[in-house]
Amino acid sequence: ISHDVYLHDSNITVYRRVTLNGDVTFASETESNKVMYLQGVYDSRYYSADCPPAFVVNGTLKCDSTRFTARPMFYAYSSATTPLSNFSVTLNGGFEGWTRELGTSKKSAGDKVTIYLNTPFVTSNSSGILLYNTDRIVCGAKNVLQGKDVGFYSTSGIDNTDEVFDLNGYDQICRGVYTTFTGDGNSYRNKGHVIKNTSSQLATLSLVGATKDCLAHAEIDDAVSLVWAPDGDRTLTLRDRASTMSGSLVVSNGTVVLDGMGSLAQCRGIEVCDGADFRVALTNGASGALAVLKDLTLGAEANFTVAGDTGDPFGDATCTLHLKSDSVFTLKEGATYMFANVYVGNAL
């Protein structure tokens, strides 16, 4: 379809592949606070495995804010007993007039929608993307969220194993990462909610400018480095999840806490910059939370603390510790830790 499209009032259903080369405008003529669904549907009358529902927008995706105050959402929906597991939305053009977040959702277990975000998402709202229950966002360019938030939501007892934000080899700057659980969604606290990188190219997720604390009950996996640089003395808590990120962690300012049953066992380096804090405060008595760490660097008046019911987090003594003369390195009383080397300033 080469001409512009104006979508209003009712949900829009996609049974097969639709490509729009013109602009697409979401609007509502009857309800100013209506949720607009663009949904891919499994229906045995139309479904074809070699041509599943797909929606490709090459033009600008617009919201008519004079007629629309709620969120447009992409929605995977099964009208039969067979779930729709591969509804995809590819966004190649720009955005205009958005005042809310970019949302995804689903109807039942097995349904899934994947958004390929190949262009920066521009909105006046503080939120960026919201992944509900089991959805996937795949980045197709650098900084597609323009410094907005990433939110994971479990709102029902639906298995959210596939709830993924995929950097796909591209560095991203976001403001914060948040996880929310309500009702039966609490039963899936330790599943899904994954930040990963399906590319072999190292990608950095920089969380910059957060104005409130972030509780990230999420895994961070693959070739990913993480930077925490909030607005002021804010805390990022990495709780309960065994992350396999193989890059580095930089605490530019504020505090990062690894707690509960969490681990960063594949992380290669941690830098706690001047005046910042990093705390390991597990509740399960586990050792090896930082098992392959090679370099731990503390800046001036920076703090590194091992607390709670944490065992030896450093593993097999391969870590080199770099301290400034006024760095604070606090260990558990009575514990013994082994390091490959310890430098204070430039002195070994």
Side-chain angles (χ1 to χ4, degrees):
I1 302 175
S2 297
H3 54 76
D4 296 345
V5 176
Y6 194 82
L7 307 178
H8 61 86
D9 270 350
S10 61
N11 298 337
I12 307 302
T13 299
V14 177
Y15 293 103
R16 303 292 288 271
R17 180 181 177 90
V18 175
T19 299
L20 298 175
N21 293 319
D23 296 340
V24 180
T25 301
F26 285 100
S28 174
E29 293 187 349
T30 58
E31 299 177 51
S32 62
N33 198 39
K34 183 177 180 180
V35 175
M36 176 65 135
Y37 289 122
L38 192 150
Q39 59 189 22
V41 172
Y42 178 93
D43 190 310
S44 58
R45 295 172 299 172
Y46 308 105
Y47 184 80
S48 172
D50 60 354
C51 188
F55 190 74
V56 180
V57 181
N58 293 322
T60 302
L61 195 61
K62 301 179 179 181
C63 276
D64 184 346
S65 58
T66 64
R67 295 181 175 180
F68 206 107
T69 60
R71 67 175 67 97
M73 296 185 70
F74 297 101
Y75 189 73
Y77 178 88
S78 295
S79 59
T81 57
T82 303
L84 175 59
S85 60
N86 53 356
F87 172 43
S88 66
V89 177
T90 302
L91 304 177
N92 295 321
F95 292 83
E96 182 179 310
W98 281 63
T99 59
R100 296 295 297 268
E101 66 274 8
L102 177 63
T104 62
S105 191
K106 61 178 283 182
K107 180 187 179 185
S108 58
D111 289 344
K112 184 173 67 178
V113 55
T114 299
I115 294 181
Y116 296 95
L117 188 55
N118 299 328
T119 185
F121 175 55
V122 179
T123 175
S124 61
N125 190 273
S126 60
S127 296
I129 58 172
L130 298 176
L131 295 99
Y132 287 86
N133 299 317
T134 179
D135 301 291
R136 185 177 295 253
I137 303 286
V138 180
C139 300
K142 290 184 176 181
N143 300 329
V144 293
L145 291 188
Q146 299 287 286
K148 303 296 185 179
D149 294 334
V150 177
F152 295 98
Y153 280 72
S154 290
T155 58
S156 68
I158 297 175
D159 188 338
N160 58 355
T161 303
D162 289 321
E163 198 172 73
V164 171
F165 178 56
D166 184 0
L167 303 180
N168 192 32
Y170 295 99
D171 295 341
Q172 302 297 327
I173 298 176
C174 304
R175 189 174 61 173
V177 175
Y178 302 92
T179 51
T180 301
F181 306 89
T182 60
D184 292 340
N186 279 285
S187 61
Y188 293 98
R189 294 179 74 88
N190 292 319
K191 301 182 71 174
H193 309 123
V194 178
I195 298 168
K196 68 183 307 175
N197 179 18
T198 53
S199 169
S200 59
Q201 176 69 38
L202 178 70
T204 299
L205 175 63
S206 298
L207 304 179
V208 178
T211 56
K212 60 182 180 180
D213 296 342
C214 292
L215 172 59
H217 204 105
E219 269 182 44
I220 306 173
D221 293 340
D222 306 319
V224 175
S225 289
L226 179 66
V227 176
W228 176 241
D231 182 8
D233 189 16
R234 304 295 179 180
T235 299
L236 169 65
T237 301
L238 304 175
R239 177 164 295 167
D240 284 341
R241 305 300 294 277
S243 295
T244 63
M245 57 173 275
S246 58
S248 61
L249 168 65
V250 175
V251 188
S252 179
N253 59 287
T255 301
V256 172
V257 177
L258 181 64
D259 75 359
M261 298 178 288
S263 69
L264 294 170
Q266 301 300 315
C267 182
R268 301 287 175 172
I270 295 178
E271 180 181 3
V272 187
C273 298
D274 295 355
D277 293 86
F278 182 87
R279 297 200 301 271
V280 184
L282 305 186
T283 59
N284 60 353
S287 297
L290 305 172
V292 302
L293 193 68
K294 300 299 182 185
D295 291 285
L296 174 57
T297 301
L298 304 186
E301 298 183 349
N303 292 272
F304 184 97
T305 304
V306 180
D309 190 24
T310 307
D312 179 1
F314 297 108
D316 57 1
T318 61
C319 181
T320 294
L321 180 60
H322 300 267
L323 303 173
K324 294 288 182 69
S325 59
D326 53 357
S327 302
V328 179
F329 189 75
T330 305
L331 307 178
K332 291 180 65 178
E333 184 177 358
T336 300
Y337 303 93
M338 300 293 292
F339 294 93
N341 296 287
V342 176
Y343 293 88
V344 178
N346 295 319
L348 180 63

